[in-house]
C-alpha cells in the first residue's frame, strides 16, 4: 500500500503495509458510529490493477441508514437557516482542505479505481471546482417579484431548499460525481446522504472526513456504504428524503425511478450514454484525432460521455486513420500509480468480459481489427487500446455503451445520413462533431438529440456548464446556474395588501 502524505487521512479504513487486513482496533467513529467490530459488516475494497485489498468500509444496515436520515432531519432546519455566506465559507474551507490533500486523494482514487494518477489529480481538481462554483452560486439564489394583475396584489416567488437529499454515485468518477451533487445541495441549504459505488467508496469517505474537518456540521453530509438495494430502499422509500440524485446506469435509474413513485420524490437521473463522434471531411483532422483520443480513452473508455460510435466521412477515412492510429499506438498502459501511464485497468472482470464480448461480436460480424484487441500481460484487467473499422448497425457495439478502450469506426456519405445514424439510439447524453463549416455547425448541433454537444473538442465537462442528458440518458442538470435549481423548490407567494 502506498504511503499517504497525510497519515490521518482515512487511517481507519486503509490497509497499511504492516497489516494483512484492516485493523479494527484503529477505527474511529468518523461516519459509522453505529457499526461494531464484526467483520461481517465490512466490505473489502480492491485495487483493480492487481486485485490487492487496499482497505475496507462498513456495510451499513437498514437501521443505520435510517439513523443517518434521522441525523439529517435533526439538522436540516438549522442548516437551511444559516446564511448563504456562512454555508459558502464552510464549502470554501472544505475546498481548501481538498486542495491541501490533493495528492493523497488522487492516490486513493487510483488505488481503488485504477485510473492513471494524472487523471485522478485532474478529477480531484474538477470535483473541487464544483464546490467552489456552488459556494459562490449559493449566494445568488434569487427569487422574483412579478407585476400583479390587481392593484392590491403583490406576487413574489421564493426559492427555498427542498430539504433532505440523497445521492447514489458510480465508480467511474469516485469524487466528481459526489461533489457535483453535494456542493449544490449544501449551498442551497439542504442536507445530503451519499451512497458511493462499493468499488470506490474510499474517495467518498476521504471527502467526508475533510468536510468534517472543515467544520460542516455533523449530519449535514453523511456517506453511507453497503448493500446498494438496502440503501436504495431507504433512499427511495423514506418520506423524510425529498430528493434523490442518481448517476449510474439506465437500468438502475429505471428501478430507482419506479421505487421513488411511492413517495413522489424529486429526481435527477444522470444515466448511460452512447455518444456519436462525427468527423466531416472539412474538419481539421489532426484536431479531430486528438479530440477522439481524449473522448475515447480517458479513464480507459469508462466515462458516460466517452465517444462510443465513431462516424468518419468515407472519403477521408484512410487519411484520418493514418493520423489516428499512431496516436493510439503511443498510449502507454499500466499501473495507474505510474505517472507515465495513460490507460489503466478496467474496473473489474465483468467489465473486461463485456468489452471482449462486444469486440468478438463485432469481429464475427465483419469488423476489421486495426490494432489491439488483446489483454495486456501486466494485468488481467487491462484491455490494450483497440481500433476496429467497418462497424455496421447490426453489431452490438453500435448500440451498447462500450465502457472500454475500443474505437469503433463506421463511415458515412452525407450529413443527413450521419445525423440519422447518430440519433438512432435510446440514449441522448453527449455528442461530438468536427467541422469548420459555419452553416453546418448550426444545422448539426440543432439536429443532434443530445443534452450536450461538443464541436471541434472532445472534452466538454466543466463546472460552469449544464451537464445532463435527454431520452434514456435521464433528466436534470448538474453544474452551472441550472445545477442548484435541482435542490430548490419554487414557492409562489400572493399577498393582498388592499
Ligand atoms: P450502476 O451499476 O448503475 O451503479 C451506480 C450506483 O448505483 C452504484 O453506487 C451502485 O451501487 C448503485 N446501485 C446499483 N443497484 C442499485 C439498486 N438496486 N438500488 C440502489 N442503488 C443501486 O452503474 P455503474 O456501473 O456504477 O456506473 C456506470 C454507469 O454510470 C454507466 O452507464 C455510465 O454511463 C453511467 N454514468 C453516467 C453519468 C452521467 O452523468 N450521465 C456519469 C458517470 C457514469 P453498488 O456499486 O454498491 O452496487
Amino acid at each position: 500500500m502506498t504511503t499517504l502524505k497525510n497519515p490521518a487521512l482515512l487511517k481507519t479504513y486503509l490497509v497499511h503495509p504492516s497489516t494483512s487486513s484492516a485493523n479494527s482496533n484503529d477505527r474511529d467513529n468518523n461516519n459509522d458510529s453505529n457499526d461494531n467490530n464484526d467483520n461481517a459488516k465490512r466490505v473489502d475494497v480492491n485495487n483493480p490493477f492487481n486485485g490487492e485489498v487496499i482497505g475496507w468500509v462498513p456495510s451499513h444496515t437498514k437501521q443505520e441508514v435510517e439513523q443517518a436520515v434521522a441525523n439529517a432531519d435533526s439538522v436540516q432546519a438549522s442548516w437551511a437557516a444559516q446564511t448563504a455566506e456562512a454555508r459558502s465559507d464552510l464549502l470554501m474551507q472544505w475546498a481548501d482542505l481538498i486542495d491541501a490533500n490533493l495528492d493523497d486523494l488522487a492516490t486513493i482514487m487510483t488505488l481503488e479505481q485504477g485510473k492513471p494518477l494524472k487523471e485522478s489529480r485532474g478529477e480531484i481538481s474538477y470535483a473541487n471546482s464544483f464546490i467552489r462554483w456552488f459556494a459562490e452560486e449559493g449566494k445568488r439564489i434569487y427569487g422574483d417579484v412579478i407585476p400583479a394583475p390587481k392593484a392590491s396584489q403583490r406576487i413574489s416567488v421564493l426559492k427555498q431548499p427542498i430539504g433532505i437529499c440523497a445521492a447514489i454515485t458510480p465508480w467511474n468518477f469516485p469524487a466528481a460525481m459526489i461533489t457535483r451533487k453535494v456542493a449544490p445541495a449544501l449551498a442551497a441549504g439542504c442536507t445530503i446522504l451519499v451512497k458511493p459505488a462499493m468499488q470506490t467508496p474510499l474517495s467518498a469517505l476521504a471527502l467526508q472526513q475533510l468536510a468534517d474537518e472543515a467544520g460542516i456540521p455533523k449530519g449535514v453530509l453523511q456517506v453511507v456504504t453497503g448493500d446498494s438495494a438496502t440503501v436504495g430502499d431507504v433512499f427511495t422509500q423514506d418520506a423524510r428524503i425529498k430528493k434523490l440524485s442518481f448517476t449510474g446506469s439506465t437500468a438502475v435509474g429505471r428501478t430507482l425511478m419506479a421505487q421513488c413513485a411511492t413517495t413522489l420524490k424529486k429526481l435527477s437521473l444522470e444515466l448511460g450514454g452512447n455518444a456519436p463522434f462525427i468527423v466531416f471531411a472539412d474538419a481539421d483532422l489532426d484536431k479531430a484525432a486528438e479530440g477522439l483520443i481524449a473522448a475515447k480513452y480517458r479513464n480507459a473508455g469508462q466515462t458516460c460521455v466517452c465517444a462510443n460510435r465513431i462516424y468518419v466521412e468515407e472519403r477521408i477515412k484512410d487519411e484520418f486513420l493514418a493520423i489516428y492510429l499512431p496516436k493510439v499506438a503511443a498510449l502507454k498502459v499500466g499501473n495507474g500509480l505510474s505517472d507515465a501511464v495513460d490507460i489503466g485497468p478496467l474496473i473489474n472482470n465483468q467489465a473486461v468480459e463485456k468489452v471482449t464480448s462486444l469486440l468478438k461480436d463485432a469481429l464475427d460480424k465483419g469488423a476489421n481489427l486495426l490494432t489491439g484487441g488483446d489483454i495486456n500481460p501486466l494485468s488481467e484487467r487491462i484491455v490494450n487500446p483497440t481500433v476496429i473499422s467497418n462497424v455496421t448497425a447490426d453489431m452490438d457495439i453500435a448500440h451498447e455503451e462500450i465502457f472500454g478502450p475500443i474505437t469503433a469506426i463506421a463511415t458515412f456519405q452525407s450529413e443527413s445520413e450521419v445525423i440519422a445514424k447518430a440519433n438512432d439510439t435510446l440514449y441522448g447524453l453527449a455528442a461530438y462533431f468536427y467541422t469548420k463549416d459555419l452553416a453546418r455547425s448550426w444545422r448539426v448541433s440543432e439536429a443532434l438529440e443530445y443534452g450536450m454537444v461538443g464541436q471541434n473538442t472532445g472534452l466538454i465537462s466543466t463546472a460552469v456548464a449544464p451537464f445532463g442528458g435527454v431520452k434514456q440518458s435521464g433528466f436534470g442538470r448538474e453544474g452551472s446556474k441550472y445545477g442548484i435549481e435541482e435542490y430548490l423548490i419554487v414557492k409562489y407567494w400572493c399577498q393582498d395588501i388592499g
Side-chain angles (χ1 to χ4, degrees):
M1 167 76 202
T2 309
T3 314
L4 301 182
K5 291 180 186 166
N6 174 1
L9 190 63
L10 282 192
K11 75 176 166 65
T12 314
Y13 299 109
L14 291 176
V15 172
H16 292 279
S18 54
T19 56
S20 57
S21 66
N23 182 352
S24 59
N25 298 322
D26 248 350
R27 298 165 65 181
D28 62 22
N29 59 1
N30 189 24
N31 78 323
D32 57 325
S33 52
N34 289 321
D35 71 82
N36 55 36
N37 288 340
D38 177 3
N39 278 334
K41 294 181 72 187
R42 293 160 161 235
V43 181
D44 283 344
V45 182
N46 299 89
N47 179 342
F49 178 73
N50 52 21
E52 274 175 19
V53 175
I54 55 163
W56 66 277
V57 295
S59 180
H60 287 124
T61 62
K62 182 167 187 273
Q63 290 69 30
E64 287 167 337
V65 183
E66 285 169 346
Q67 180 58 49
V69 182
N71 298 341
D73 200 29
S74 67
V75 293
Q76 174 55 51
S78 58
W79 180 246
Q82 290 212 21
T83 63
E85 192 159 347
R87 290 193 297 262
S88 173
D89 287 347
L90 287 171
L91 284 167
M92 287 296 193
Q93 283 169 40
W94 186 25
D96 288 345
L97 284 178
I98 290 172
D99 276 341
N101 287 273
L102 192 145
D103 286 342
D104 284 349
L105 291 166
T107 300
I108 290 166
M109 186 182 295
T110 292
L111 282 169
E112 67 178 353
Q113 205 278 344
K115 67 175 67 177
L117 260 185
K118 59 188 171 191
E119 284 193 28
S120 294
R121 288 197 191 101
E123 183 184 337
I124 298 297
S125 295
Y126 175 55
N128 223 3
S129 70
F130 288 99
I131 299 177
R132 293 193 195 282
W133 168 268
F134 284 111
E136 291 299 333
E137 203 59 17
K139 298 182 211 165
R140 292 186 279 268
I141 299 174
Y142 303 134
D144 290 307
V145 177
I146 298 172
K150 291 183 189 159
S152 65
Q153 272 185 344
R154 296 293 181 273
I155 292 178
S156 310
V157 174
L158 309 183
K159 301 255 183 99
Q160 295 180 304
I162 191 167
I164 303 173
C165 301
I168 300 178
T169 55
W171 49 263
N172 60 345
F173 288 95
M177 298 302 99
I178 291 176
T179 57
R180 72 183 193 181
K181 300 177 191 309
V182 168
L186 265 46
C190 302
T191 56
I192 188 163
L193 299 109
V194 179
K195 194 214 83 72
M198 285 305 275
Q199 287 101 335
T200 58
L202 295 171
S203 296
L205 290 173
L207 288 173
Q208 152 112 66
Q209 182 179 335
L210 296 176
D212 292 347
E213 285 172 20
I216 291 174
K218 233 178 167 32
V220 168
L221 164 61
Q222 298 173 88
V223 173
V224 296
T225 49
D227 173 61
S228 54
T230 305
V231 179
D233 275 354
V234 179
F235 279 13
T236 55
Q237 313 291 319
D238 194 313
R240 292 171 295 182
I241 295 175
K242 301 297 188 300
K243 150 107 195 175
L244 174 68
S245 178
F246 171 71
T247 298
S249 62
T250 296
V252 173
R254 283 191 198 106
T255 303
L256 293 172
M257 188 169 176
Q259 286 180 209
C260 279
T262 51
T263 50
L264 282 178
K265 281 186 212 319
K266 183 167 173 171
L267 264 174
S268 298
L269 297 176
E270 298 279 351
L271 308 178
N274 181 5
F277 187 107
I278 304 165
V279 185
F280 288 100
D282 69 85
D284 176 334
L285 297 190
D286 286 312
K287 201 169 170 181
E290 206 54 61
L292 184 53
I293 292 284
K296 179 69 251 181
Y297 290 109
R298 195 160 60 108
N299 203 4
Q302 301 170 113
T303 88
C304 54
V305 291
C306 267
N308 211 54
R309 295 167 293 146
I310 322 306
Y311 298 110
V312 179
E313 196 160 340
E314 177 71 45
R315 62 194 162 95
I316 49 119
K317 181 186 137 196
D318 292 341
E319 195 186 340
F320 179 73
L321 282 173
I323 300 169
Y324 185 63
L325 287 172
K327 290 185 190 296
V328 176
L331 293 170
K332 193 166 174 348
V333 299
N335 187 340
L337 286 179
S338 155
D339 246 345
V341 161
D342 301 302
I343 297 190
L346 297 183
I347 190 71
N348 54 28
N349 292 344
Q350 293 95 296
V352 175
E353 279 157 27
K354 181 187 169 191
V355 165
T356 46
S357 92
L358 284 175
L359 181 62
K360 182 176 181 312
D361 174 78
L363 295 177
D364 286 350
K365 290 174 181 163
N368 297 328
L369 180 64
L370 303 180
T371 186
D374 53 345
I375 306 293
N376 193 286
L378 285 173
S379 164
E380 61 182 311
R381 293 183 198 91
I382 293 185
V383 176
N384 278 326
T386 300
V387 181
I388 57 174
S389 64
N390 201 27
V391 170
T392 48
D394 59 325
M395 299 173 186
D396 293 342
I397 208 160
H399 305 285
E400 288 189 31
E401 200 178 19
I402 303 171
F403 246 53
I406 302 179
T407 306
I409 297 180
T411 56
F412 66 94
Q413 313 261 6
S414 73
E415 185 181 306
S416 57
E417 175 199 348
V418 77
I419 286 172
K421 284 180 168 168
N423 287 339
D424 184 19
T425 169
L426 295 175
Y427 299 98
L429 192 58
Y432 308 87
F433 70 100
Y434 279 70
T435 182
K436 291 191 222 150
D437 182 312
L438 179 62
R440 168 175 281 158
S441 302
W442 277 95
R443 283 195 305 271
V444 174
S445 59
E446 286 174 356
L448 286 169
E449 296 166 354
Y450 289 83
M452 298 175 284
V453 177
Q455 181 185 350
N456 299 335
T457 177
L459 293 173
I460 54 173
S461 301
T462 160
V464 307
F467 191 104
V470 297
K471 294 163 76 177
Q472 293 193 26
S473 291
F475 44 78
R477 291 294 178 269
E478 294 190 320
S480 81
K481 65 175 183 174
Y482 303 100
I484 206 157
E485 298 291 333
E486 305 284 334
Y487 298 90
L488 295 168
I489 56 160
V490 171
K491 183 181 282 176
Y492 155 46
W493 178 23
C494 180
Q495 295 170 285
D496 192 308
I497 60 167

